């Protein structure tokens, strides 16, 4: 029961408000010391023997930390974060929202649709959820309120659009999952494009349906600028082309095999700086702020990683991983029992803890079990990434909800934000279920029975 008690203790400390990295590290140290004393006393070695047990428990810790720090995969984390922060500070979101709003404003629900499209482009270029939600909350939400959009629809759309950066490459989540699942990050980027675009498409369909059934929640915005449609399209293309070109270069170099994700992230940083110069927003003070934010974000990820590593080691030493493995492998339905249960656990944990903690605490236990059941690690990683995306929306601790609350006008009630994200959470779960069936059953069957034709058509699509 020690492993279960450890997990519950960590969740309670997080609920009280203790910092995540220190919580997992402290729980590991406390339970490690208690466990070593209990084991040494039960073996008749006395308290001095507990020191040796404690040392055995944590002997591997320095090697694990150094292997993390030396991993080339993780070099991409600060670089992609820096790229996103520079683009965010170059007022990219403002330009995109302004031009997209003019294009789609005359469609019922057009401002919400433009918010989703801009969120997708920001996801592919910046990938920073907080920056995307805040930028769209500051710019798009006041426009929606001005034209009498339903508050819940507007808030939910902004939160959902901002979280697309968790599944659309280049995504920090996918980089972390690449390390945990021991699969190429480039392959994860490649496989995540279709699920990400599917979410974008389903979001837009949902907005169109709601706007059609309830016209009052998403009114048509009359164009009073007097600018011709041709000039609007031209302005939109000018705003979209530079970041789109950067995205194509960064992701295209990975998919074509020209560069690794780490190399392409460095190229993306250079491209972001060039775009900032092109937009005339580059300054050394901006660079200093971007570097500081990148260091903070990266330090947070690695601090959590070290604490989670200590937690996992003690959890394994107490035999908790064996109990979990026996339970998961004996579930009815074998593979499908494992997938349904693990997806449900990750989804529920997303209500309370962040995706980084879930990734480094829960997934290392699940990955070996998935391998024994013969589950494709790339497909499982994509499903986990889609599931982790919901953790940014699910109350009470969804980060997107907090980001939007911090910039939303006083007239927006917190209840309206929570209510607005519920349909998008349901959409994400529905799309997750679809891809569970597709990736685990339909795609392997198509590959096996119609391999030649299917692969040929897939190569044309790629």
């Amino acid at each position: 029961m020690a492993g279960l008690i450890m997990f519950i203790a960590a969740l309670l400390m997080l609920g009280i408000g203790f910092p995540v990295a220190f919580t997992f590290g402290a729980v590991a140290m406390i339970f490690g010391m208690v466990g070593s004393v209990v084991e040494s006393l039960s073996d008749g070695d006395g308290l001095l023997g507990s020191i040796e047990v404690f040392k055995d428990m944590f002997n591997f810790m320095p090697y694990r930390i150094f292997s993390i720090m030396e991993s080339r995969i993780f070099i991409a984390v600060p670089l992609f974060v820096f790229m996103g922060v520079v683009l965010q500070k170059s007022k990219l979101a403002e330009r995109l929202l302004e031009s997209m709003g003019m294009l789609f404003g005359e469609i019922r629900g057009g401002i919400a649709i433009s918010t989703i499209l801009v969120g997708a482009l920001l996801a592919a270029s910046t990938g920073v959820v907080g920056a995307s939600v805040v930028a769209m909350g500051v710019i798009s939400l006041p426009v929606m309120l001005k034209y009498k959009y339903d508050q819940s629809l507007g808030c939910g759309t902004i939160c959902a659009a901002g979280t697309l950066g968790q599944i659309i490459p280049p995504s920090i989540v996918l980089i972390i999952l690449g390390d945990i699942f021991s699969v190429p990050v480039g392959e994860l980027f490649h496989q995540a494009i279709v699920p990400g675009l599917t979410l974008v498409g389903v979001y837009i369909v949902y907005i169109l349906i709601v706007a059609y059934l309830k016209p009052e929640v998403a009114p048509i915005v009359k164009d009073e600028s007097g600018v011709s449609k041709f000039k609007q399209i031209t302005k939109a293309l000018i705003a979209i082309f530079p970041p789109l070109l950067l995205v194509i270069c960064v992701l295209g170099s990975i998919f074509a095999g020209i560069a690794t994700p780490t190399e392409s992230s460095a190229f993306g940083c250079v491209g972001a700086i060039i775009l900032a110069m092109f937009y005339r927003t580059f300054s050394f003070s901006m660079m200093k702020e971007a570097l500081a934010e990148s260091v903070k974000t990266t330090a947070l990820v690695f601090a959590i990683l070290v604490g989670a590593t200590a937690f996992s080691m003690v959890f394994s030493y107490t035999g908790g991983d064996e109990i979990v493995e026996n339970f998961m492998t004996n579930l009815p339905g074998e593979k499908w029992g494992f997938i349904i249960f693990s997806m449900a656990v990750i989804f529920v944990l997303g209500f309370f803890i962040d995706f980084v903690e879930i990734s480094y605490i829960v997934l290392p236990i699940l990955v070996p079990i998935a391998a024994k059941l013969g589950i494709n690690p790339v497909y499982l990683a994509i499903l986990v990434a889609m599931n982790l995306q919901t953790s940014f929306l699910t109350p009470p601790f969804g980060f997107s909800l907090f980001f939007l609350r911090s910039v939303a006008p006083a007239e927006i009630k917190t209840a309206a934000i929570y209510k607005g994200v519920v349909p998008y959470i349901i959409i994400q779960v529905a799309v997750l279920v679809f891809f569970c069936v597709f990736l685990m059953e339909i795609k392997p069957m198509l590959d096996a029975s119609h391999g030649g034709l299917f692969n040929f058509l897939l190569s044309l699509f790629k």
Side-chain angles (χ1 to χ4, degrees), residues 62 73 184 281 302 334 430 439 454 457:
I73 294 176
T281 56
F302 279 93
E334 296 183 351
L439 292 177
F454 182 75
L457 294 175

Side-chain angles (χ1 to χ4, degrees), residues 108 150 153 207-219:
R108 194 173 296 281
D150 179 72
L153 177 64
I207 293 169
L208 289 172
I209 292 173
V210 171
Y212 176 77
L213 296 177
K214 298 180 179 179
E216 69 278 3
V217 303

Side-chain angles (χ1 to χ4, degrees), residues 47-389:
L47 292 177
L48 290 177
S50 65
I51 298 175
E52 293 300 321
V53 176
F54 187 77
K55 284 171 59 179
D56 291 342
M57 197 179 300
F58 285 92
N59 263 342
F60 187 68
M61 186 72 182
Y63 300 101
R64 172 60 179 161
I65 294 173
F66 276 109
S67 68
I68 292 167
M69 297 304 177
E70 293 173 352
S71 174
R72 293 189 177 185
I73 294 176
F74 284 115
I75 298 175
V77 173
L79 292 175
F80 275 129
V81 171
F82 177 76
M83 168 185 159
V85 173
V86 170
L87 289 176
Q88 181 254 329
K89 291 185 177 296
S90 65
K91 310 296 182 183
L92 174 66
E94 288 87 335
R95 290 178 174 83
L96 290 173
L97 281 168
E98 181 183 350
S99 58
M100 287 287 194
M102 293 177 67
L103 280 181
F104 293 95
E106 296 184 10
I107 301 173
R108 194 173 296 281
I111 300 178
I113 293 173
S114 65
T115 301
I116 294 293
L117 293 174
V118 170
L121 194 52
L122 289 176
S125 53
T126 68
V128 182
V129 171
S132 300
V133 173
V134 168
M136 291 188 289
V138 170
I139 303 161
S140 184
L141 186 56
V143 177
M144 292 185 187
L145 297 177
K146 176 183 175 182
Y147 290 102
K148 310 299 182 184
Y149 266 64
D150 179 72
Q151 291 185 0
S152 296
L153 177 64
C155 293
T157 300
I158 290 170
C159 290
T163 61
L164 288 170
Q166 297 305 295
I167 186 64
I168 295 179
S171 163
I172 303 301
V173 173
L174 295 176
I175 296 173
I176 292 174
L177 294 182
D179 174 66
I180 295 172
F181 282 86
S182 300
V183 294
V185 175
E187 179 67 15
L188 290 182
F189 281 4
H190 191 276
Q191 296 290 340
I193 289 180
V194 173
L197 295 180
T198 301
L199 273 176
V200 172
V202 177
Y203 286 167
I204 293 174
V205 170
Y206 164 73
I207 293 169
L208 289 172
I209 292 173
V210 171
Y212 176 77
L213 296 177
K214 298 180 179 179
E216 69 278 3
V217 303
I220 295 174
V221 178
K222 299 293 184 182
D223 184 15
E224 300 174 355
S225 63
V227 180
S228 66
K229 203 66 178 177
F230 176 77
K231 288 186 177 180
Q232 290 180 7
I233 295 173
T234 303
K235 185 177 180 180
L237 290 175
I238 292 173
I240 293 170
F241 181 75
L244 187 61
L245 178 63
L246 178 62
V247 170
I248 292 172
C249 291
V250 171
L251 295 182
S253 62
I254 298 173
F255 299 157
I258 299 172
T260 65
T262 303
E263 293 166 345
S264 66
S265 65
F267 176 79
C269 291
V270 176
I273 294 172
I274 293 173
L275 280 185
M277 292 178 176
F278 175 76
Y279 291 136
R280 297 181 180 179
T281 56
F282 177 84
S283 67
F284 286 106
S285 61
M286 184 269 282
M287 283 285 290
K288 182 179 178 181
E289 292 175 9
L291 287 169
E293 288 189 28
S294 302
V295 169
K296 288 178 183 177
T297 304
T298 307
L300 173 65
V301 171
F302 279 93
I304 294 173
L305 197 157
V306 171
T309 299
F311 187 93
S312 298
M313 290 175 62
V314 177
F315 185 82
S316 299
Y317 195 89
T318 60
D321 57 339
E322 295 179 6
I323 296 173
V324 173
E325 181 177 339
N326 290 333
F327 174 77
M328 298 290 276
T329 52
N330 289 316
L331 285 171
E334 296 183 351
K335 179 179 74 173
W336 277 108
F338 167 80
I339 291 172
I340 293 171
F341 185 82
S342 59
M343 290 295 120
V345 168
I346 292 170
F347 178 76
V348 172
L349 288 176
F351 282 79
F352 307 102
I353 58 178
D354 190 21
F355 75 93
V356 181
E357 298 94 86
I358 296 174
S359 298
Y360 284 110
I361 296 298
V362 179
L363 296 184
I365 301 171
L366 299 180
V367 169
I369 304 172
K372 287 186 177 180
L373 293 172
I375 298 173
N376 188 312
V378 174
Y379 295 164
L380 183 59
I382 296 298
L383 297 178
V384 169
M386 296 180 69
N387 201 339
L388 290 174
Q389 186 183 354

